[in-house]
Amino acid sequence: MKVVLENLTKIFPSRTKGGKEVIAVNDFTFEIPDGKLIGLLGPSGCGKSTTLYMICGLQKPSSGKIFFGEDDVTELTPENRGVGLVFQNYALYPHMTVKQNILFPLQNLKGADKMSKDAMLERAYEAAKLVQIDELMDRKPSELSGGQQQRVAIARALVKMPRVLLLDEPLSNLDARLRLQTREEIKRIQQETGITTVFVTHDQEEAMSISDMIVVMKSGVVQQIGKPQDVYDSPLNLFVAKFLGTPPINVFNGKVENEKLLIGGNAVLDVKGVSDQEVFVGIRPEAFIIDKQGPLECKLLNVEVMGRDVSIVSSHEDSVNPIIRSIVDADNLKEVAQESVHFALKPHKVFIFNKDTEERIYVGNEKEKVEADK
Ligand code: ADP
Ligand code: MG
């Protein structure tokens, strides 16, 4: 089932007299393709949950429309939309067993949707099998780990065979290892069921790893939509560039003069077609190449060898952040001197941004290349 968001906006009135209203979601338009997993990503307060609750029907949009397939569902109640919703804090009924928790949504079906007891049980076991908790059906939630509880919550959301599955930070309460495992599970379940899914998270790595497409939001406004790798490889603005990637992108104050990009007065790259101006330069950690003749000279602070990766921690006067973190090839390490390190840069891992708008400035035919790759 494709889901269409059309100019979706949510304004919360001010809580205090004369205070400012909050535009939680601002003119969000997007067609979520059928059967895909979409990661809705952004910092806390950017409007992710509000968007999800509008899709689900728990919040009414201030303006705009929502379609499931061709059906306009904007005015429908959550029960009539055919959605399954999973929250961060599982929200299971503590006095009920796992089985009763999963059966609950089916027992509440009315009229023509009413099911026989056997049919309900069969469905409940199917859903439980899908999330691999069918052995735990007679336990109470308090007798389960966090990961198991979240599986029960997912089974409960799936049991009504929803048209759309909505997950609001479903992994945030799990410890690191379970989080990793459960996100793989969610991906598998989504692929097996083919249910169009919206997955909300503030964790870029989580969103990148399981989403077919990500939507990056900031202050209620969509910044960029695309396949995770495409957004990483070609961010539209400085915010998106900084939000994606671990270690994060390194940002420098730079200058363009005569189609050369200067950092600290040294020409680090050619930037064909870019007019003279001050810019922000974003350099991905993997962009740095150790090179004695390299034009970017940084003060060496530390070399961290972490298994496969070598990370060089350095600093530079024109770096926006106190430290620069680069991931380099271990083979070149012998060329690192005592106090300073010289780098050459991989051009396709370096982005420049307008100093005022923080929008991307494209170099040469970069923009055409991005369009062609889509
Ligand atoms: P996220 O899920 O990305 O953290 P939310 O969608 O919960 O963000 O919130 C977006 C903005 O809307 C925030 O500024 C938040 O304070 C505000 N907001 C959310 N719900 C309400 C509400 N019921 N009343 C007033 N403001 C709200
Ligand atoms: Mg939220």
Side-chain angles (χ1 to χ4, degrees):
M1 177 76 49
K2 76 172 177 190
V3 174
V4 183
L5 313 181
E6 209 177 86
N7 306 109
L8 206 57
T9 297
K10 179 70 183 181
I11 301 171
F12 289 112
S14 149
R15 289 205 180 95
T16 54
K17 218 179 153 208
K20 267 179 90 178
E21 58 186 24
V22 177
I23 308 179
V25 179
N26 195 344
D27 199 21
F28 189 166
T29 296
F30 180 42
E31 182 172 323
I32 302 173
D34 180 29
K36 297 289 183 205
L37 195 162
I38 301 301
L40 199 53
L41 177 65
S44 174
C46 73
K48 305 180 295 293
S49 295
T50 306
T51 304
L52 204 72
Y53 298 162
M54 286 195 283
I55 298 174
C56 152
L58 288 174
Q59 294 268 16
K60 199 175 144 42
S62 307
S63 60
K65 283 194 153 81
I66 302 164
F67 297 85
F68 287 3
E70 304 306 318
D71 301 345
D72 183 346
V73 300
T74 317
E75 299 296 326
L76 290 186
T77 60
E79 304 79 57
N80 292 322
R81 290 193 188 193
V83 291
L85 183 61
V86 177
F87 295 99
Q88 172 177 341
N89 57 350
Y90 336 127
L92 302 174
Y93 302 108
H95 57 286
M96 293 185 188
T97 62
V98 168
K99 193 196 294 171
Q100 288 165 335
N101 264 286
I102 300 175
L103 280 171
F104 190 78
L106 297 180
Q107 287 163 336
N108 276 357
L109 292 174
K110 302 255 153 44
D113 294 331
K114 245 177 134 66
M115 295 172 71
S116 76
K117 220 173 162 190
D118 284 348
M120 284 194 281
L121 263 180
E122 195 178 322
R123 272 277 197 88
Y125 271 92
E126 263 174 41
K129 270 210 188 79
L130 196 61
V131 300
Q132 298 173 342
I133 47 155
D134 46 317
E135 313 267 294
L136 308 173
M137 292 294 253
D138 295 319
R139 293 213 198 159
K140 294 270 177 66
S142 60
E143 298 162 337
L144 302 176
S145 70
Q148 289 168 333
Q149 290 185 55
Q150 195 54 301
R151 283 163 196 254
V152 178
I154 295 170
R156 193 178 53 182
L158 289 172
V159 75
K160 278 209 292 189
M161 301 190 165
R163 302 198 279 179
V164 181
L165 182 62
L166 304 168
L167 306 162
D168 192 0
E169 312 239 10
L171 308 179
S172 298
N173 281 3
L174 307 181
D175 66 46
R177 202 176 49 85
L178 257 181
R179 208 154 54 220
L180 219 70
Q181 188 189 338
T182 313
R183 85 183 187 205
E184 297 309 323
E185 285 284 286
I186 289 176
K187 181 76 190 167
R188 175 186 62 78
I189 293 162
Q190 194 274 328
Q191 284 177 335
E192 275 179 30
T193 57
I195 298 175
T196 308
T197 299
V198 183
F199 181 100
V200 163
T201 177
H202 63 272
D203 180 334
Q204 55 91 22
E205 201 183 327
E206 199 168 280
M208 297 269 285
S209 65
I210 66 167
S211 308
D212 296 307
M213 289 180 102
I214 55 171
V215 177
V216 185
M217 289 181 84
K218 175 193 170 195
S219 311
V221 181
V222 171
Q223 304 292 302
Q224 190 166 357
I225 300 178
K227 289 185 196 139
Q229 194 65 45
D230 290 349
V231 178
Y232 180 83
D233 288 339
S234 193
L236 283 174
N237 60 40
L238 184 61
F239 175 83
V240 174
K242 289 203 294 198
F243 202 74
L244 299 186
T246 34
I249 197 162
N250 301 286
V251 183
F252 292 78
N253 292 303
K255 202 157 59 172
V256 174
E257 262 176 32
N258 301 323
E259 302 195 321
K260 302 270 182 211
L261 176 62
L262 308 182
I263 296 179
N266 292 330
V268 295
L269 284 178
D270 290 337
V271 285
K272 205 163 166 286
V274 182
S275 55
D276 290 3
Q277 59 191 298
E278 307 230 323
V279 291
F280 285 118
V281 187
I283 308 181
R284 291 272 183 224
E286 65 274 25
F288 296 84
I289 306 164
I290 297 175
D291 179 349
K292 265 189 219 142
Q293 261 79 53
L296 184 64
E297 181 181 1
C298 298
K299 187 164 171 256
L300 183 66
L301 300 176
N302 195 11
V303 179
E304 296 171 359
V305 183
M306 300 167 297
R308 185 184 43 123
D309 287 335
V310 175
S311 170
I312 294 189
V313 183
S314 62
S315 66
H316 189 286
E317 264 194 350
D318 293 319
S319 168
V320 171
N321 302 102
I323 65 159
I324 302 158
R325 198 173 274 280
S326 49
I327 308 278
V328 298
D329 198 335
D331 301 342
N332 296 335
L333 217 52
K334 55 185 178 302
E335 289 189 31
V336 179
Q338 286 295 325
E339 275 151 29
S340 71
V341 52
H342 285 258
F343 293 113
L345 299 173
K346 298 178 191 166
H348 65 288
K349 294 284 184 183
V350 178
F351 313 114
I352 58 177
F353 302 95
N354 183 292
K355 201 93 198 212
D356 301 318
T357 64
E358 302 191 354
E359 296 290 319
R360 175 91 173 271
I361 299 167
Y362 291 92
V363 179
N365 65 349
E366 261 179 352
K367 187 155 200 172
E368 291 73 24
K369 272 213 236 82
V370 172
E371 291 302 322
D373 285 350
K374 264 191 192 156

